[in-house]
Amino acid sequence: DIDSASIYYNWSMQKNIEADNRIGISLCYLNLGKLDETESNLTAARDNYLKSYELGLQSKDVWHWLNSCIALGRLNIKEGNIAEAQRYNDEALEAAQRIGAKGRLSNLYYQQAAIHEMRGDYRKALESTRLSVAYKDSADLEENRVYTQNMRVNYEVNKRKEEVEKVIADAEHEKEIRNMVIWSCIIILLLILVA
């Protein structure tokens, strides 16, 4: 539902402007650009992506800024602007390699393959596709490893929690039995004294 998404992104934009959150504003421009691109309004998409790109440069947040570079590269590929696509892709590739952003590198090499294909250099397109797949596999492997570690940690935490709850329940049960024995002894003693 593009209309609803647009309303929420614009509302989020206002809140980020009020908070002077440049990264948030940049991400809102990026998402508004994606909506424009989805509706084939490429001029509006370019304007939003460029605003996101500029804010990303100012914020020094390379991770989020790479998204606007990827979007501008993708848009220029769609429009057939090979030189512009290459410029954004080269800039983003260098930054993504510097910070080790494997998922972003996968996207960028995929776009690089499209650029090479547009130029008719199929050998380089194939090599870029191989790199894209390799980085995607690497990013997926890392994500799976983190997921597995989180599952292990959650299992251990839940196991310890269950053990602690069992110890507490056993202690409560023992306390109840002890109280019952004490009261039984008191009652028997009182009956003996009365007798």
Side-chain angles (χ1 to χ4, degrees), residues 47-86:
D47 291 342
N48 282 318
Y49 290 154
L50 284 170
K51 289 174 185 172
S52 176
Y53 174 87
E54 291 299 325
L55 283 167
L57 280 176
Q58 293 170 14
S59 75
K60 305 279 191 262
D61 182 344
V62 177
W63 182 262
H64 289 103
W65 170 77
L66 283 169
N67 289 328
S68 58
C69 286
I70 291 169
L72 283 165
R74 182 182 63 243
L75 188 65
N76 280 294
I77 290 169
K78 276 186 182 178
E79 294 178 329
N81 301 327
I82 298 173
E84 278 295 292
Q86 188 66 67

Side-chain angles (χ1 to χ4, degrees), residues 9 17-18 20-21 25 31 41-43 48 68 79 90 97 114 120 123 141 150 160 162 165 178 191 194:
Y9 286 136
I17 289 170
E18 289 170 16
D20 193 30
N21 179 357
I25 297 168
N31 288 312
N41 187 352
L42 302 185
T43 303
N48 282 318
S68 58
E79 294 178 329
D90 286 346
Q97 286 170 342
R123 188 178 55 74
L141 181 64
N150 287 341
R160 297 290 180 247
E162 288 172 5
E165 288 172 355
R178 198 175 321 117
L191 286 175
V194 170

Side-chain angles (χ1 to χ4, degrees), residues 79-131:
E79 294 178 329
N81 301 327
I82 298 173
E84 278 295 292
Q86 188 66 67
R87 182 175 76 80
Y88 286 112
N89 228 48
D90 286 346
E91 190 176 6
L93 273 168
E94 186 267 318
Q97 286 170 342
R98 189 176 67 244
I99 66 168
K102 293 176 184 173
R104 305 286 198 280
L105 284 166
S106 174
N107 292 338
L108 290 163
Y109 277 112
Y110 180 79
Q111 287 183 179
Q112 190 63 45
I115 292 168
H116 288 310
E117 188 175 345
M118 290 171 77
R119 288 182 174 145
D121 192 343
Y122 299 106
R123 188 178 55 74
K124 285 185 179 177
L126 180 59
E127 182 57 33
S128 291
T129 300
R130 284 184 187 145
L131 287 168

